[in-house]
Amino acid sequence: MGSPFKLIIYAPDDSLANKAAQHAFKRIEDLNLSLSDYRDDSEINAVSAQSGSDQWIHVSKDLFDILFVSDDISKKTNGAFDATLGPIVQEWRRATRKGYFPDKELIANALGRTGYRKIKFNAATQRVQLKDKGMRLDIGGLGKGFAADEAVKVLKSYGIKSAMIDAGGKLALMDPPPGEKGWKIVISSGRDSIETIEYANVGIATSGPTYRYLEYNGKRYSHIVDPKTGIGLEHHVRTTVISPNATEADALATAFSVSGITEGKKYIKRFPNNKVWLVETKNDQVKSWNTILKDK
């Protein structure tokens, strides 16, 4: 999935920890083979290749489940999260790699092949349909969180209770280390604010253009693309979300980054037990929305 994965496990002995870890990594690798749009032979790319064919495509439970979750989040955030952004994401990946700004025609063409409403679901037969030709699925916005949650299930099947899965910065936390109240996690606003929080049995995800962005004509454009405009975010600094699971945290970190503070405050009401720290800058003014540290 283009990111390092790390497991920290507390177990009665090395043998159990090693066995559980190996099977958790095997589960993550299997998901990568199926869900990564970077792989030509992945299931998700095979499904995308059949877009616009009017075919109902039978997919694996993993792909169906992650697309179904994605669709639910898309509906609840008015499209701020969208798993059909593959065409526009491909354009921005190339632009970021080569240092040019995508022209209006490229963006318009790519946007015309996106839209979460264009995915149809048949839960009874575990099939999906992509309505328009040239659609391309991209679940990068929640795939790492999903993989982390699946790794948690594997560890629990081995009786492991205390562990942390770090999926490229998307965290799935189980019970805390022995003798601790929680896992100590350092979070940052992306500027000069750093806090240590202590949590267990939650998912935590952070999104920001610290490492992946396009610098063009003195402006920095995030790798996170606004589904409505097809342009990388200009005002986003950093978003951290704490959720009941890593899948939801991963997706909402992207969704709230896109929505911004004003709209995000409306959307979070649809996601119980979530906390967010969102920082954005407009006209040289920094604004922050923080429900993570509000009690401090």
PDB file of all heavy atoms in Angstrom, residues 21-52:
ATOM      1  N   ALA A  21       2.238 -12.201  14.686  1.00  0.00           N
ATOM      2  CA  ALA A  21       2.705 -11.124  13.817  1.00  0.00           C
ATOM      3  C   ALA A  21       2.809 -11.591  12.372  1.00  0.00           C
ATOM      4  O   ALA A  21       2.397 -10.879  11.444  1.00  0.00           O
ATOM      5  CB  ALA A  21       4.049 -10.601  14.300  1.00  0.00           C
ATOM      6  N   GLN A  22       3.360 -12.776  12.161  1.00  0.00           N
ATOM      7  CA  GLN A  22       3.515 -13.295  10.803  1.00  0.00           C
ATOM      8  C   GLN A  22       2.155 -13.437  10.114  1.00  0.00           C
ATOM      9  O   GLN A  22       2.015 -13.115   8.920  1.00  0.00           O
ATOM     10  CB  GLN A  22       4.248 -14.646  10.822  1.00  0.00           C
ATOM     11  CG  GLN A  22       5.703 -14.553  11.246  1.00  0.00           C
ATOM     12  CD  GLN A  22       6.511 -13.612  10.358  1.00  0.00           C
ATOM     13  OE1 GLN A  22       6.354 -13.598   9.141  1.00  0.00           O
ATOM     14  NE2 GLN A  22       7.359 -12.795  10.966  1.00  0.00           N
ATOM     15  N   HIS A  23       1.174 -13.919  10.846  1.00  0.00           N
ATOM     16  CA  HIS A  23      -0.155 -14.090  10.245  1.00  0.00           C
ATOM     17  C   HIS A  23      -0.849 -12.740  10.031  1.00  0.00           C
ATOM     18  O   HIS A  23      -1.607 -12.581   9.062  1.00  0.00           O
ATOM     19  CB  HIS A  23      -1.019 -15.009  11.108  1.00  0.00           C
ATOM     20  CG  HIS A  23      -0.712 -16.460  10.912  1.00  0.00           C
ATOM     21  ND1 HIS A  23       0.326 -17.101  11.557  1.00  0.00           N
ATOM     22  CD2 HIS A  23      -1.271 -17.406  10.104  1.00  0.00           C
ATOM     23  CE1 HIS A  23       0.377 -18.371  11.188  1.00  0.00           C
ATOM     24  NE2 HIS A  23      -0.574 -18.582  10.297  1.00  0.00           N
ATOM     25  N   ALA A  24      -0.583 -11.779  10.917  1.00  0.00           N
ATOM     26  CA  ALA A  24      -1.144 -10.436  10.716  1.00  0.00           C
ATOM     27  C   ALA A  24      -0.551  -9.797   9.470  1.00  0.00           C
ATOM     28  O   ALA A  24      -1.269  -9.204   8.657  1.00  0.00           O
ATOM     29  CB  ALA A  24      -0.873  -9.571  11.949  1.00  0.00           C
ATOM     30  N   PHE A  25       0.771  -9.931   9.294  1.00  0.00           N
ATOM     31  CA  PHE A  25       1.421  -9.385   8.102  1.00  0.00           C
ATOM     32  C   PHE A  25       0.948 -10.099   6.829  1.00  0.00           C
ATOM     33  O   PHE A  25       0.824  -9.481   5.772  1.00  0.00           O
ATOM     34  CB  PHE A  25       2.941  -9.481   8.211  1.00  0.00           C
ATOM     35  CG  PHE A  25       3.565  -8.386   9.030  1.00  0.00           C
ATOM     36  CD1 PHE A  25       4.379  -8.685  10.111  1.00  0.00           C
ATOM     37  CD2 PHE A  25       3.336  -7.052   8.720  1.00  0.00           C
ATOM     38  CE1 PHE A  25       4.957  -7.667  10.861  1.00  0.00           C
ATOM     39  CE2 PHE A  25       3.910  -6.038   9.467  1.00  0.00           C
ATOM     40  CZ  PHE A  25       4.726  -6.340  10.539  1.00  0.00           C
ATOM     41  N   LYS A  26       0.682 -11.393   6.951  1.00  0.00           N
ATOM     42  CA  LYS A  26       0.164 -12.146   5.799  1.00  0.00           C
ATOM     43  C   LYS A  26      -1.215 -11.599   5.398  1.00  0.00           C
ATOM     44  O   LYS A  26      -1.521 -11.440   4.205  1.00  0.00           O
ATOM     45  CB  LYS A  26       0.059 -13.623   6.149  1.00  0.00           C
ATOM     46  CG  LYS A  26      -0.597 -14.504   5.069  1.00  0.00           C
ATOM     47  CD  LYS A  26       0.255 -14.575   3.807  1.00  0.00           C
ATOM     48  CE  LYS A  26      -0.180 -15.682   2.867  1.00  0.00           C
ATOM     49  NZ  LYS A  26      -1.579 -15.580   2.415  1.00  0.00           N
ATOM     50  N   ARG A  27      -2.027 -11.288   6.393  1.00  0.00           N
ATOM     51  CA  ARG A  27      -3.359 -10.724   6.108  1.00  0.00           C
ATOM     52  C   ARG A  27      -3.216  -9.361   5.420  1.00  0.00           C
ATOM     53  O   ARG A  27      -3.932  -9.063   4.454  1.00  0.00           O
ATOM     54  CB  ARG A  27      -4.139 -10.575   7.429  1.00  0.00           C
ATOM     55  CG  ARG A  27      -5.518  -9.915   7.262  1.00  0.00           C
ATOM     56  CD  ARG A  27      -6.490 -10.825   6.566  1.00  0.00           C
ATOM     57  NE  ARG A  27      -7.833 -10.250   6.551  1.00  0.00           N
ATOM     58  CZ  ARG A  27      -8.545 -10.027   5.450  1.00  0.00           C
ATOM     59  NH1 ARG A  27      -8.052 -10.329   4.255  1.00  0.00           N
ATOM     60  NH2 ARG A  27      -9.753  -9.526   5.525  1.00  0.00           N
ATOM     61  N   ILE A  28      -2.300  -8.552   5.898  1.00  0.00           N
ATOM     62  CA  ILE A  28      -2.063  -7.232   5.298  1.00  0.00           C
ATOM     63  C   ILE A  28      -1.587  -7.376   3.859  1.00  0.00           C
ATOM     64  O   ILE A  28      -2.037  -6.662   2.961  1.00  0.00           O
ATOM     65  CB  ILE A  28      -1.044  -6.436   6.145  1.00  0.00           C
ATOM     66  CG1 ILE A  28      -1.660  -6.066   7.496  1.00  0.00           C
ATOM     67  CG2 ILE A  28      -0.584  -5.180   5.402  1.00  0.00           C
ATOM     68  CD1 ILE A  28      -0.647  -5.604   8.526  1.00  0.00           C
ATOM     69  N   GLU A  29      -0.686  -8.323   3.618  1.00  0.00           N
ATOM     70  CA  GLU A  29      -0.162  -8.529   2.263  1.00  0.00           C
ATOM     71  C   GLU A  29      -1.256  -9.014   1.316  1.00  0.00           C
ATOM     72  O   GLU A  29      -1.326  -8.579   0.158  1.00  0.00           O
ATOM     73  CB  GLU A  29       0.986  -9.545   2.290  1.00  0.00           C
ATOM     74  CG  GLU A  29       1.569  -9.888   0.914  1.00  0.00           C
ATOM     75  CD  GLU A  29       2.084  -8.672   0.157  1.00  0.00           C
ATOM     76  OE1 GLU A  29       2.476  -7.674   0.802  1.00  0.00           O
ATOM     77  OE2 GLU A  29       2.087  -8.712  -1.087  1.00  0.00           O
ATOM     78  N   ASP A  30      -2.129  -9.886   1.809  1.00  0.00           N
ATOM     79  CA  ASP A  30      -3.245 -10.354   0.976  1.00  0.00           C
ATOM     80  C   ASP A  30      -4.166  -9.186   0.595  1.00  0.00           C
ATOM     81  O   ASP A  30      -4.647  -9.108  -0.546  1.00  0.00           O
ATOM     82  CB  ASP A  30      -4.053 -11.424   1.716  1.00  0.00           C
ATOM     83  CG  ASP A  30      -3.313 -12.752   1.812  1.00  0.00           C
ATOM     84  OD1 ASP A  30      -2.311 -12.927   1.073  1.00  0.00           O
ATOM     85  OD2 ASP A  30      -3.709 -13.604   2.625  1.00  0.00           O
ATOM     86  N   LEU A  31      -4.399  -8.284   1.538  1.00  0.00           N
ATOM     87  CA  LEU A  31      -5.219  -7.107   1.248  1.00  0.00           C
ATOM     88  C   LEU A  31      -4.525  -6.205   0.233  1.00  0.00           C
ATOM     89  O   LEU A  31      -5.164  -5.639  -0.652  1.00  0.00           O
ATOM     90  CB  LEU A  31      -5.504  -6.327   2.538  1.00  0.00           C
ATOM     91  CG  LEU A  31      -6.503  -6.971   3.501  1.00  0.00           C
ATOM     92  CD1 LEU A  31      -6.513  -6.246   4.842  1.00  0.00           C
ATOM     93  CD2 LEU A  31      -7.905  -6.980   2.903  1.00  0.00           C
ATOM     94  N   ASN A  32      -3.224  -6.085   0.357  1.00  0.00           N
ATOM     95  CA  ASN A  32      -2.461  -5.279  -0.600  1.00  0.00           C
ATOM     96  C   ASN A  32      -2.586  -5.842  -2.013  1.00  0.00           C
ATOM     97  O   ASN A  32      -2.782  -5.098  -2.982  1.00  0.00           O
ATOM     98  CB  ASN A  32      -0.995  -5.225  -0.179  1.00  0.00           C
ATOM     99  CG  ASN A  32      -0.170  -4.321  -1.077  1.00  0.00           C
ATOM    100  OD1 ASN A  32      -0.432  -3.134  -1.177  1.00  0.00           O
ATOM    101  ND2 ASN A  32       0.824  -4.888  -1.739  1.00  0.00           N
ATOM    102  N   LEU A  33      -2.502  -7.155  -2.131  1.00  0.00           N
ATOM    103  CA  LEU A  33      -2.626  -7.796  -3.441  1.00  0.00           C
ATOM    104  C   LEU A  33      -3.988  -7.527  -4.064  1.00  0.00           C
ATOM    105  O   LEU A  33      -4.111  -7.388  -5.276  1.00  0.00           O
ATOM    106  CB  LEU A  33      -2.406  -9.308  -3.308  1.00  0.00           C
ATOM    107  CG  LEU A  33      -0.993  -9.770  -2.928  1.00  0.00           C
ATOM    108  CD1 LEU A  33      -0.979 -11.269  -2.657  1.00  0.00           C
ATOM    109  CD2 LEU A  33       0.007  -9.425  -4.019  1.00  0.00           C
ATOM    110  N   SER A  34      -5.008  -7.421  -3.227  1.00  0.00           N
ATOM    111  CA  SER A  34      -6.368  -7.243  -3.718  1.00  0.00           C
ATOM    112  C   SER A  34      -6.747  -5.783  -3.922  1.00  0.00           C
ATOM    113  O   SER A  34      -7.381  -5.432  -4.916  1.00  0.00           O
ATOM    114  CB  SER A  34      -7.354  -7.886  -2.737  1.00  0.00           C
ATOM    115  OG  SER A  34      -8.684  -7.602  -3.085  1.00  0.00           O
ATOM    116  N   LEU A  35      -6.339  -4.918  -2.988  1.00  0.00           N
ATOM    117  CA  LEU A  35      -6.908  -3.570  -2.917  1.00  0.00           C
ATOM    118  C   LEU A  35      -6.002  -2.452  -3.408  1.00  0.00           C
ATOM    119  O   LEU A  35      -6.453  -1.314  -3.546  1.00  0.00           O
ATOM    120  CB  LEU A  35      -7.312  -3.262  -1.464  1.00  0.00           C
ATOM    121  CG  LEU A  35      -8.278  -4.240  -0.790  1.00  0.00           C
ATOM    122  CD1 LEU A  35      -8.544  -3.807   0.641  1.00  0.00           C
ATOM    123  CD2 LEU A  35      -9.580  -4.342  -1.570  1.00  0.00           C
ATOM    124  N   SER A  36      -4.735  -2.732  -3.681  1.00  0.00           N
ATOM    125  CA  SER A  36      -3.819  -1.668  -4.069  1.00  0.00           C
ATOM    126  C   SER A  36      -3.974  -1.297  -5.542  1.00  0.00           C
ATOM    127  O   SER A  36      -3.823  -2.144  -6.422  1.00  0.00           O
ATOM    128  CB  SER A  36      -2.364  -2.085  -3.814  1.00  0.00           C
ATOM    129  OG  SER A  36      -1.486  -1.082  -4.284  1.00  0.00           O
ATOM    130  N   ASP A  37      -4.251  -0.012  -5.808  1.00  0.00           N
ATOM    131  CA  ASP A  37      -4.377   0.404  -7.206  1.00  0.00           C
ATOM    132  C   ASP A  37      -3.003   0.614  -7.845  1.00  0.00           C
ATOM    133  O   ASP A  37      -2.910   0.914  -9.033  1.00  0.00           O
ATOM    134  CB  ASP A  37      -5.221   1.682  -7.310  1.00  0.00           C
ATOM    135  CG  ASP A  37      -4.495   2.909  -6.826  1.00  0.00           C
ATOM    136  OD1 ASP A  37      -3.971   2.870  -5.703  1.00  0.00           O
ATOM    137  OD2 ASP A  37      -4.444   3.909  -7.565  1.00  0.00           O
ATOM    138  N   TYR A  38      -1.940   0.464  -7.062  1.00  0.00           N
ATOM    139  CA  TYR A  38      -0.581   0.542  -7.609  1.00  0.00           C
ATOM    140  C   TYR A  38      -0.208  -0.744  -8.359  1.00  0.00           C
ATOM    141  O   TYR A  38       0.728  -0.748  -9.145  1.00  0.00           O
ATOM    142  CB  TYR A  38       0.444   0.770  -6.490  1.00  0.00           C
ATOM    143  CG  TYR A  38       0.458   2.171  -5.929  1.00  0.00           C
ATOM    144  CD1 TYR A  38      -0.306   2.504  -4.816  1.00  0.00           C
ATOM    145  CD2 TYR A  38       1.237   3.172  -6.502  1.00  0.00           C
ATOM    146  CE1 TYR A  38      -0.296   3.779  -4.284  1.00  0.00           C
ATOM    147  CE2 TYR A  38       1.268   4.456  -5.979  1.00  0.00           C
ATOM    148  CZ  TYR A  38       0.498   4.753  -4.877  1.00  0.00           C
ATOM    149  OH  TYR A  38       0.515   6.030  -4.351  1.00  0.00           O
ATOM    150  N   ARG A  39      -0.918  -1.833  -8.079  1.00  0.00           N
ATOM    151  CA  ARG A  39      -0.594  -3.130  -8.675  1.00  0.00           C
ATOM    152  C   ARG A  39      -1.485  -3.392  -9.892  1.00  0.00           C
ATOM    153  O   ARG A  39      -2.714  -3.366  -9.783  1.00  0.00           O
ATOM    154  CB  ARG A  39      -0.793  -4.254  -7.658  1.00  0.00           C
ATOM    155  CG  ARG A  39       0.105  -4.177  -6.428  1.00  0.00           C
ATOM    156  CD  ARG A  39      -0.147  -5.374  -5.526  1.00  0.00           C
ATOM    157  NE  ARG A  39       0.138  -6.613  -6.233  1.00  0.00           N
ATOM    158  CZ  ARG A  39       1.292  -7.266  -6.158  1.00  0.00           C
ATOM    159  NH1 ARG A  39       2.268  -6.793  -5.414  1.00  0.00           N
ATOM    160  NH2 ARG A  39       1.470  -8.386  -6.815  1.00  0.00           N
ATOM    161  N   ASP A  40      -0.865  -3.666 -11.019  1.00  0.00           N
ATOM    162  CA  ASP A  40      -1.639  -3.934 -12.240  1.00  0.00           C
ATOM    163  C   ASP A  40      -2.520  -5.168 -12.102  1.00  0.00           C
ATOM    164  O   ASP A  40      -3.577  -5.260 -12.741  1.00  0.00           O
ATOM    165  CB  ASP A  40      -0.688  -4.116 -13.433  1.00  0.00           C
ATOM    166  CG  ASP A  40       0.015  -2.815 -13.804  1.00  0.00           C
ATOM    167  OD1 ASP A  40      -0.529  -1.738 -13.469  1.00  0.00           O
ATOM    168  OD2 ASP A  40       1.097  -2.881 -14.403  1.00  0.00           O
ATOM    169  N   ASP A  41      -2.071  -6.117 -11.264  1.00  0.00           N
ATOM    170  CA  ASP A  41      -2.796  -7.386 -11.153  1.00  0.00           C
ATOM    171  C   ASP A  41      -3.763  -7.424  -9.967  1.00  0.00           C
ATOM    172  O   ASP A  41      -4.276  -8.489  -9.614  1.00  0.00           O
ATOM    173  CB  ASP A  41      -1.800  -8.543 -11.029  1.00  0.00           C
ATOM    174  CG  ASP A  41      -0.876  -8.410  -9.806  1.00  0.00           C
ATOM    175  OD1 ASP A  41      -0.849  -7.310  -9.194  1.00  0.00           O
ATOM    176  OD2 ASP A  41      -0.181  -9.394  -9.475  1.00  0.00           O
ATOM    177  N   SER A  42      -4.039  -6.288  -9.351  1.00  0.00           N
ATOM    178  CA  SER A  42      -4.918  -6.289  -8.180  1.00  0.00           C
ATOM    179  C   SER A  42      -6.379  -6.453  -8.583  1.00  0.00           C
ATOM    180  O   SER A  42      -6.782  -6.125  -9.702  1.00  0.00           O
ATOM    181  CB  SER A  42      -4.758  -4.990  -7.386  1.00  0.00           C
ATOM    182  OG  SER A  42      -5.226  -3.882  -8.133  1.00  0.00           O
ATOM    183  N   GLU A  43      -7.168  -6.940  -7.646  1.00  0.00           N
ATOM    184  CA  GLU A  43      -8.594  -7.112  -7.896  1.00  0.00           C
ATOM    185  C   GLU A  43      -9.274  -5.771  -8.160  1.00  0.00           C
ATOM    186  O   GLU A  43     -10.112  -5.661  -9.066  1.00  0.00           O
ATOM    187  CB  GLU A  43      -9.264  -7.795  -6.691  1.00  0.00           C
ATOM    188  CG  GLU A  43     -10.769  -7.980  -6.878  1.00  0.00           C
ATOM    189  CD  GLU A  43     -11.486  -8.482  -5.641  1.00  0.00           C
ATOM    190  OE1 GLU A  43     -10.870  -8.489  -4.549  1.00  0.00           O
ATOM    191  OE2 GLU A  43     -12.667  -8.850  -5.768  1.00  0.00           O
ATOM    192  N   ILE A  44      -8.895  -4.752  -7.412  1.00  0.00           N
ATOM    193  CA  ILE A  44      -9.561  -3.451  -7.558  1.00  0.00           C
ATOM    194  C   ILE A  44      -9.327  -2.867  -8.950  1.00  0.00           C
ATOM    195  O   ILE A  44     -10.232  -2.277  -9.549  1.00  0.00           O
ATOM    196  CB  ILE A  44      -9.102  -2.472  -6.448  1.00  0.00           C
ATOM    197  CG1 ILE A  44     -10.093  -1.313  -6.349  1.00  0.00           C
ATOM    198  CG2 ILE A  44      -7.684  -1.965  -6.663  1.00  0.00           C
ATOM    199  CD1 ILE A  44      -9.906  -0.451  -5.105  1.00  0.00           C
ATOM    200  N   ASN A  45      -8.146  -3.080  -9.527  1.00  0.00           N
ATOM    201  CA  ASN A  45      -7.888  -2.588 -10.885  1.00  0.00           C
ATOM    202  C   ASN A  45      -8.639  -3.417 -11.931  1.00  0.00           C
ATOM    203  O   ASN A  45      -9.071  -2.893 -12.956  1.00  0.00           O
ATOM    204  CB  ASN A  45      -6.390  -2.580 -11.174  1.00  0.00           C
ATOM    205  CG  ASN A  45      -5.703  -1.361 -10.580  1.00  0.00           C
ATOM    206  OD1 ASN A  45      -6.341  -0.369 -10.257  1.00  0.00           O
ATOM    207  ND2 ASN A  45      -4.389  -1.440 -10.429  1.00  0.00           N
ATOM    208  N   ALA A  46      -8.799  -4.707 -11.659  1.00  0.00           N
ATOM    209  CA  ALA A  46      -9.569  -5.563 -12.575  1.00  0.00           C
ATOM    210  C   ALA A  46     -11.032  -5.129 -12.613  1.00  0.00           C
ATOM    211  O   ALA A  46     -11.674  -5.137 -13.673  1.00  0.00           O
ATOM    212  CB  ALA A  46      -9.452  -7.025 -12.150  1.00  0.00           C
ATOM    213  N   VAL A  47     -11.554  -4.738 -11.458  1.00  0.00           N
ATOM    214  CA  VAL A  47     -12.935  -4.248 -11.399  1.00  0.00           C
ATOM    215  C   VAL A  47     -13.056  -2.920 -12.140  1.00  0.00           C
ATOM    216  O   VAL A  47     -13.993  -2.713 -12.928  1.00  0.00           O
ATOM    217  CB  VAL A  47     -13.392  -4.106  -9.930  1.00  0.00           C
ATOM    218  CG1 VAL A  47     -14.755  -3.413  -9.853  1.00  0.00           C
ATOM    219  CG2 VAL A  47     -13.454  -5.472  -9.262  1.00  0.00           C
ATOM    220  N   SER A  48     -12.097  -2.027 -11.906  1.00  0.00           N
ATOM    221  CA  SER A  48     -12.121  -0.725 -12.591  1.00  0.00           C
ATOM    222  C   SER A  48     -12.096  -0.891 -14.102  1.00  0.00           C
ATOM    223  O   SER A  48     -12.738  -0.135 -14.844  1.00  0.00           O
ATOM    224  CB  SER A  48     -10.928   0.132 -12.143  1.00  0.00           C
ATOM    225  OG  SER A  48     -11.017   0.474 -10.775  1.00  0.00           O
ATOM    226  N   ALA A  49     -11.358  -1.900 -14.567  1.00  0.00           N
ATOM    227  CA  ALA A  49     -11.237  -2.133 -16.012  1.00  0.00           C
ATOM    228  C   ALA A  49     -12.572  -2.516 -16.647  1.00  0.00           C
ATOM    229  O   ALA A  49     -12.747  -2.401 -17.864  1.00  0.00           O
ATOM    230  CB  ALA A  49     -10.207  -3.225 -16.278  1.00  0.00           C
ATOM    231  N   GLN A  50     -13.538  -2.945 -15.828  1.00  0.00           N
ATOM    232  CA  GLN A  50     -14.847  -3.337 -16.349  1.00  0.00           C
ATOM    233  C   GLN A  50     -15.901  -2.231 -16.184  1.00  0.00           C
ATOM    234  O   GLN A  50     -17.089  -2.476 -16.385  1.00  0.00           O
ATOM    235  CB  GLN A  50     -15.322  -4.608 -15.638  1.00  0.00           C
ATOM    236  CG  GLN A  50     -14.409  -5.811 -15.857  1.00  0.00           C
ATOM    237  CD  GLN A  50     -14.882  -7.034 -15.100  1.00  0.00           C
ATOM    238  OE1 GLN A  50     -15.941  -7.592 -15.394  1.00  0.00           O
ATOM    239  NE2 GLN A  50     -14.114  -7.450 -14.103  1.00  0.00           N
ATOM    240  N   SER A  51     -15.449  -1.040 -15.841  1.00  0.00           N
ATOM    241  CA  SER A  51     -16.401   0.061 -15.657  1.00  0.00           C
ATOM    242  C   SER A  51     -17.099   0.389 -16.966  1.00  0.00           C
ATOM    243  O   SER A  51     -16.532   0.262 -18.051  1.00  0.00           O
ATOM    244  CB  SER A  51     -15.663   1.306 -15.138  1.00  0.00           C
ATOM    245  OG  SER A  51     -14.719   1.761 -16.090  1.00  0.00           O
ATOM    246  N   GLY A  52     -18.358   0.780 -16.851  1.00  0.00           N
ATOM    247  CA  GLY A  52     -19.136   1.164 -18.026  1.00  0.00           C
ATOM    248  C   GLY A  52     -19.598   0.023 -18.890  1.00  0.00           C
ATOM    249  O   GLY A  52     -20.150   0.235 -19.974  1.00  0.00           O
TER     250      GLY A  52
END
